[in-house]
Amino acid sequence: MTNREKLLELEQRMNQQVLGQESVVRMLIVALLCDGHVLLEGLPGLAKTRAVRELAAHVEGEFRRIQFTPDLLPSDITGSEIYQQNATREEDQFRFRPGPVFGNIILADEINRASARVQSALLEAMEERHVTVAGKTWPLPGIFMVLATQNPVDQEGTWPLPEAQLDRFLMKVLVDYPSKANEQKVMQLVRAEQQKKYLAGTAEVKEKAPETLMLSQEDIATCWQEISAVYVAPGIEDYMVNLVDMTRHPQGVSDKLASYISFGVSPRGTLALDRCGRALAWLEGRDAVLPEDIQKVAPAVLRHRLMLSYQANADNCSADDVIKLLLDAVVA
């Protein structure tokens, strides 16, 4: 089985456990292939945490969950130095104890529940892939992916993520309600899981467990190497640059669009479009990026990098609405 076939098999298995969220699963796979971080936004109970756990269950390495709360401290995430009372040498009196950020797949649950001071503890880790504590720098693992969740409705007692931190996320993925048919399947799936749990160890559940699909870190590194070789034509490069440039000069599209955008997308957005477009093309079995690849990943890549105006809020115009206007205006 090739690495691409493994990723497609992983996507299929995740869709069997996270029902009705095919687009969310696809974007998580793309982010893994891009070595990027993801912000998952959705109401409680829409399987955000379940999706992350399913992904981590098939990736070799350490899965760590951090529950963000108002009383969390930065050292609770990065780790801290511990005093060694019985140390014989002065330089051995303090020993660094790594925090939960020293893992491979990190679930930052309800990230906006913690203060800005705690949120900033992730900035260095997400961008530089290392942590500095007491003047010493500690590198993070080669496979390092932060998957953060937040609730868009309950904003009491929360600290909105600053733009600088939002920009560190490769994608912002919106998790919506499943359809009625999928919700019925969810009910049946959870009922079956409960029956297996309650009957564990009895004669009723002696069937053979399914073969576990596990992606090694070498497999993922090979995928990164193959994706880096995916061809991006000059015309596609122009398309990505023009799309981002229009967010900075929206008056070139229309006065209405210009009234909706306060600040455009940073160069990180262009780089993210390029990375995600190549990953999606590779996942679909092509060695070159098509305009359709950019259009598919554009909402997840750009929606958290756009700063909308008060006029946009007054007109109930979302970031996705603005991105649709841009995609319609910019010709590939």
Side-chain angles (χ1 to χ4, degrees), residues 161-225:
L161 298 180
E163 285 73 18
Q165 185 161 8
L166 286 173
D167 210 22
R168 259 72 170 187
F169 286 100
L170 179 74
M171 296 180 180
K172 179 180 178 181
V173 178
L174 302 183
V175 186
D176 204 353
Y177 292 114
S179 65
K180 290 194 296 183
N182 280 319
E183 190 153 3
Q184 185 175 0
K185 293 178 182 178
V186 169
M187 185 168 53
Q188 296 168 354
L189 175 64
V190 172
R191 184 189 301 140
E193 290 177 346
Q194 290 175 340
Q195 289 175 348
K196 286 186 179 181
K197 175 183 176 181
Y198 298 147
L199 297 175
T202 66
E204 286 87 343
V205 286
K206 296 300 183 180
E207 71 269 14
K208 184 179 179 181
E211 182 181 355
T212 302
L213 173 69
M214 186 63 65
L215 287 170
S216 68
Q217 299 195 18
E218 291 77 12
D219 291 336
I220 297 174
T222 302
C223 292
W224 292 347
Q225 184 178 5

Side-chain angles (χ1 to χ4, degrees), residues 239-314:
Y239 179 51
M240 290 186 285
V241 171
N242 290 336
L243 192 62
V244 172
D245 185 68
M246 280 298 181
T247 68
R248 303 165 190 166
H249 305 95
Q251 61 273 13
V253 178
S254 66
D255 293 337
K256 182 179 181 180
L257 185 63
S259 68
Y260 286 163
I261 300 178
S262 295
F263 296 97
V265 176
S266 74
R268 279 199 187 100
T270 311
L271 298 176
L273 283 175
D274 175 61
R275 291 164 61 190
C276 294
R278 285 187 282 116
L280 185 59
W282 178 87
L283 191 61
E284 295 185 354
R286 287 180 276 105
D287 58 2
V289 179
L290 298 177
E292 291 79 6
D293 298 322
I294 306 303
Q295 294 161 5
K296 288 177 182 178
V297 300
V301 168
L302 301 180
R303 63 167 58 104
H304 58 299
R305 294 184 164 96
L306 282 172
M307 291 186 63
L308 302 185
S309 66
Y310 289 109
Q311 185 63 44
N313 294 328

Side-chain angles (χ1 to χ4, degrees), residues 17-214:
Q17 298 297 319
V18 187
L19 301 174
Q21 304 291 353
E22 290 80 8
S23 62
V24 174
V25 170
R26 170 55 66 98
M27 290 300 106
L28 289 180
I29 298 293
V30 169
L32 176 65
L33 293 173
C34 291
D35 190 22
H37 312 295
V38 180
L39 177 62
L40 290 162
E41 183 175 281
L43 296 171
L46 296 183
K48 299 185 297 295
T49 301
R50 185 184 180 96
V52 175
R53 286 188 176 276
E54 283 298 320
L55 177 65
H58 298 285
V59 176
E60 181 187 58
E62 291 287 336
F63 170 65
R64 305 285 178 86
R65 175 177 177 173
I66 308 173
Q67 184 66 49
F68 280 65
T69 56
D71 60 345
L72 201 67
L73 297 175
S75 58
D76 295 330
I77 296 175
T78 60
S80 59
E81 289 194 324
I82 306 299
Y83 178 68
Q84 305 292 313
Q85 186 175 7
N86 298 324
T88 57
R89 298 188 304 172
E90 183 178 354
E91 56 268 27
D92 295 334
Q93 287 182 349
F94 290 91
R95 180 173 62 86
F96 176 66
R97 177 174 292 176
V101 76
F102 285 85
N104 298 108
I105 294 183
I106 311 299
L107 171 58
D109 208 6
E110 296 187 285
I111 189 172
N112 56 338
R113 289 286 174 190
S115 66
R117 181 185 178 192
V118 175
Q119 293 174 10
S120 65
L122 279 178
L123 284 174
E124 181 184 15
M126 292 172 63
E127 184 68 15
E128 308 297 335
R129 305 300 178 99
H130 57 63
V131 168
T132 302
V133 176
K136 295 182 180 179
T137 300
W138 305 89
L140 292 166
I143 306 293
F144 177 71
M145 185 179 185
V146 174
L147 297 154
T149 69
Q150 67 176 11
N151 177 1
V153 176
D154 184 9
Q155 297 300 319
E156 186 175 344
T158 64
W159 287 263
L161 298 180
E163 285 73 18
Q165 185 161 8
L166 286 173
D167 210 22
R168 259 72 170 187
F169 286 100
L170 179 74
M171 296 180 180
K172 179 180 178 181
V173 178
L174 302 183
V175 186
D176 204 353
Y177 292 114
S179 65
K180 290 194 296 183
N182 280 319
E183 190 153 3
Q184 185 175 0
K185 293 178 182 178
V186 169
M187 185 168 53
Q188 296 168 354
L189 175 64
V190 172
R191 184 189 301 140
E193 290 177 346
Q194 290 175 340
Q195 289 175 348
K196 286 186 179 181
K197 175 183 176 181
Y198 298 147
L199 297 175
T202 66
E204 286 87 343
V205 286
K206 296 300 183 180
E207 71 269 14
K208 184 179 179 181
E211 182 181 355
T212 302
L213 173 69
M214 186 63 65

Side-chain angles (χ1 to χ4, degrees), residues 313-329:
N313 294 328
D315 292 349
N316 291 322
C317 180
S318 67
D320 284 14
D321 296 329
V322 171
I323 293 169
K324 186 178 185 305
L325 294 173
L326 288 169
L327 291 174
D328 292 339

